[in-house]
Amino acid sequence: MRWMILAALSLCLALSLNLSTASAQETCESKAVSKEGKPLAGAAKTSFLKKCKRDTCQVKAVGSNGRALAGAAKKSFMQKCQREA
């Protein structure tokens, strides 16, 4: 009985992680709007999405000890995070 509950909880956790990654992408897409309320296009949209992804990954760049990553570890994490996003 316990293993069934544990399996259900781990499945819910895995699904929520997948949805949060997808929602971050959609959030950046939905925020890509000019001051007039029109959707961005071309270089402006590309630049905005790049900055949005970088800012999203910056928040997640925390080590196992709870402190912010620095140096090569941060660079590697940021590249991986932005590639996946």
Side-chain angles (χ1 to χ4, degrees):
M1 181 68 171
R2 286 184 182 178
W3 65 271
M4 288 177 53
I5 294 172
L6 183 61
L9 288 175
S10 63
L11 180 62
C12 290
L13 178 64
L15 289 175
S16 68
L17 290 176
N18 286 338
L19 291 175
S20 68
T21 304
S23 67
Q25 178 72 14
E26 292 170 6
T27 303
C28 287
E29 288 283 338
S30 64
K31 289 181 181 178
V33 181
S34 68
K35 292 179 183 178
E36 293 83 31
K38 296 179 183 178
L40 294 175
K45 182 176 181 180
T46 303
S47 174
F48 179 83
L49 290 176
K50 184 176 178 181
K51 181 182 181 298
C52 183
K53 288 178 186 177
R54 184 179 62 237
D55 293 345
T56 302
C57 291
Q58 187 76 30
V59 175
K60 297 177 186 177
V62 179
S64 60
N65 58 0
R67 292 166 51 183
L69 294 175
K74 182 177 180 180
K75 180 179 178 183
S76 174
F77 177 82
M78 293 294 286
Q79 287 176 347
K80 180 184 176 205
C81 181
Q82 290 174 1
R83 185 174 52 243
E84 291 175 354

